[in-house]
Amino acid sequence: MAVNLNVQDDQSLLAVAGVKLMVAEAGIKKADRKDVLVIQLDKGNTVAGVFTQNRFCAAPVQVSKAHLGTGVQIRALVVNTGNANAGTGVAGREHALQVCKALAEELACQPEQVLPFSTGVILEPLPVGKIIQALPARREASWGEAAEAIMTTDTVPKAASRTLSLDGVPVVLTGIAKGAGMIHPNMATMLGFIATDAAITRPLLEQLIKEVADQSFNCISIDGDTSTNDSFMLICSGQSANSLIDSVDHPHYAPFKAVLLDLARELAQAIVRDGEGATKFITVKVEGGRSVAECKDIGYAIARSPLVKTAFFASDPNLGRLLAAIGYAGVADLDVDRLSLYLDDVLVASAGGRHPDYEEADGQRVMQQSEITVRVVLERGSADATVWTCDFSYDYVRINADYRS
Amino acid sequence: MAVNLNVQDDQSLLAVAGVKLMVAEAGIKKADRKDVLVIQLDKGNTVAGVFTQNRFCAAPVQVSKAHLGTGVQIRALVVNTGNANAGTGVAGREHALQVCKALAEELACQPEQVLPFSTGVILEPLPVGKIIQALPARREASWGEAAEAIMTTDTVPKAASRTLSLDGVPVVLTGIAKGAGMIHPNMATMLGFIATDAAITRPLLEQLIKEVADQSFNCISIDGDTSTNDSFMLICSGQSANSLIDSVDHPHYAPFKAVLLDLARELAQAIVRDGEGATKFITVKVEGGRSVAECKDIGYAIARSPLVKTAFFASDPNLGRLLAAIGYAGVADLDVDRLSLYLDDVLVASAGGRHPDYEEADGQRVMQQSEITVRVVLERGSADATVWTCDFSYDYVRINADYRS
């Protein structure tokens, strides 16, 4: 069902020097499927992350934040699917720590040098024994297999690579992501891991990941539900020979950031394309706002409206629903008589009502496409924002009514 | 499909002296169905209303607010279904005024003494000619027929009556409402009209309707979409012999308000029970908050979560989704380790995780009921709030994907 999303073949996914991938089968939810991923890192790396803002943030999120906060050198990330270890209280934090400890013993490092991640059902105890038992049996894997090992309701593994040259020195970036439901920014039920061999200082990396997240993983919504487990991690092995990028003024910062953002957006959009039950990929652009925040508010009001999303599913140009969503987005002094609404190139509404030249056949033509851009021009400032979302189908209900069975 | 909602028979719906109901068939969307309601009022009445906060508020809402604002005596309300006259710009306002003018001529009053209301599809021009043509053919109708005349995707007409005695003087209240989708507070796609023969001053009525709306129609959500047309009107004909209620200290104010609120809640809950595709009626109580606002935020996060709503549809006690919704409700300093979550009488979660005594069979038992109460105890203050919602089924998607066809 994923919208224009193909599995990347392993040839197109580039290894990153200093980053070793391992997978294992722990039988957490189903037997004989890859459900544990270990990302082992050589020394000399820098790692930064951004995490869910859900107050019920999962135990592994709490532990990863604490471990990153110690400032120690990270040696491994361990990810399980099939159980989120969220809504599990003190016991959940102990379980996450036990996983770190077991892996640290194998790798001869400290537990604080391991970052844990989990995704799956909430409110059920983590089967920590199964995970610990499976760790010694882990085997080396490709990025494609790593992407498979973190899937939940995803139908397509999500991975992509980029290369760039910094003053003639080649740099590689490869990332994977998972997520298909409980997707709303700050952040989505989503795990994203991007690794690069570029050398960047940690303070700069921490600033960079926030900026990149805000323009990629924090711009998507499938169902408006912000998850307990969202994490996006940026790993720099530093094994490329590029000159250390240590400030935003470094000549390599801007080109590196551009490629990184492009990759992060591809992965974020892949999550939407594989949104539960999705049949259409919708880009919502809001322009001419007074602030990015108000543009995002309007973008998300459209992106999370069940009425808008079911109209897209039905290919029905019932576009008054878009106006209603714009109207309730919470922009208190919005002058609706000034804004314009476009569906791709079709001007649908202006001056508070339907544009005189608009014909339903034009709206119908665009609604039948699998990729649609909604553009709202507010004419009250120069800020803009883009949000990506998908439609809402019978299959969304089927998938989420059946998820645990 | 409505949940425990029966049609009220005409015997149980009490006439209100000074309030005359008329219906007509204008053929707005379908031929030969009642789609116009006129509520004609004797002189000496007082009328107050609360309206949608959607910035794209519909033309009739703008006109009704303006007419009420003049302070003139209202002589009629005219409601059409089949077209919302929203997203229709200047032409829409002219159409709404034309309807007022046509009815005012029939009733030998001023156009400002008529309040227009519309509900139905957005962004399409109001077929004003059809409505004006139908007005002279209107015929007297019962409250039950009036409730039918304002239905859109409603499957059951919604009406109820109450009586009370104020120092031995009988007072009648009868109300009707419509709405089944695009339902979210401030306010829902919803029209509500309550008439009473009680005598109340207009300033007090204006204060009273806000308080009642906040505890009834502003406590419901079906899909999180706040409509362009919501209006809730309170009509007092003043034809009862009760002593004029002119302040909150008047001895009749409190008993009258209690009965009015009870009626408004029944109508508001009827909208949820008839929510598009609803199979379950869910009451969300949030207690022990620092403010009513934060309790409502948490209640609405639960009520609008597609993941929570599909779990209710599936009778699946996947209750971690409730925790996730509580966590992303935007209460920044919420200590999740202190709160408790109950499903009816079953204590599901406390201390940040599943309660040790919780057994899935207990959750399963409650989830299979058609009426379920979710109770969240925050333990951080003494405020509380209640929100009513329904589940999210295949039929919600079907109804909204098919609505215009």
Side-chain angles (χ1 to χ4, degrees), chain B residues 337-384:
Chain B
D337 288 344
R338 292 192 64 181
L339 67 82
S340 306
L341 171 69
Y342 293 82
L343 206 62
D344 275 14
D345 55 328
V346 177
L347 176 55
V348 174
S350 64
R354 199 158 77 174
H355 191 269
D357 295 341
Y358 173 72
E359 289 181 16
E360 176 130 343
D362 295 325
Q364 185 69 63
R365 171 177 57 75
V366 179
M367 288 301 269
Q368 274 159 346
Q369 299 166 184
S370 62
E371 311 238 347
I372 298 169
T373 297
V374 173
R375 194 158 68 93
V376 183
V377 183
L378 300 176
E379 287 200 25
R380 51 191 256 127
S382 58
D384 62 84

Side-chain angles (χ1 to χ4, degrees), chain A residues 65-135:
Chain A
K65 285 164 96 169
H67 287 187
L68 271 179
T70 64
V72 296
Q73 171 85 145
I74 301 302
R75 298 304 308 281
L77 296 78
V78 53
V79 192
N80 74 272
T81 183
N83 183 303
N85 193 9
T88 47
V90 175
R93 292 190 282 276
E94 278 164 14
H95 288 159
L97 281 170
Q98 283 167 27
V99 172
C100 295
K101 205 175 157 195
L103 186 59
E105 274 171 23
E106 299 241 344
L107 301 177
C109 69
Q110 297 302 311
E112 294 73 34
Q113 294 179 285
V114 177
L115 305 179
F117 302 87
S118 297
T119 181
V121 68
I122 302 172
L123 204 62
E124 292 187 6
L126 187 72
V128 62
K130 287 181 178 178
I131 296 172
I132 290 173
Q133 230 167 358
L135 286 176

Side-chain angles (χ1 to χ4, degrees), chain B residues 73-136:
Chain B
Q73 170 87 148
I74 301 303
R75 298 303 308 279
L77 295 78
V78 53
V79 193
N80 74 271
T81 183
N83 184 304
N85 193 9
T88 47
V90 174
R93 292 190 282 276
E94 279 165 13
H95 288 160
L97 281 170
Q98 283 167 28
V99 172
C100 295
K101 206 176 156 196
L103 186 58
E105 274 172 24
E106 299 241 344
L107 301 177
C109 67
Q110 297 303 310
E112 294 73 34
Q113 294 180 284
V114 177
L115 304 179
F117 303 87
S118 298
T119 180
V121 68
I122 302 171
L123 203 63
E124 292 186 6
L126 186 74
V128 62
K130 288 183 178 177
I131 295 171
I132 290 174
Q133 231 167 356
L135 285 176

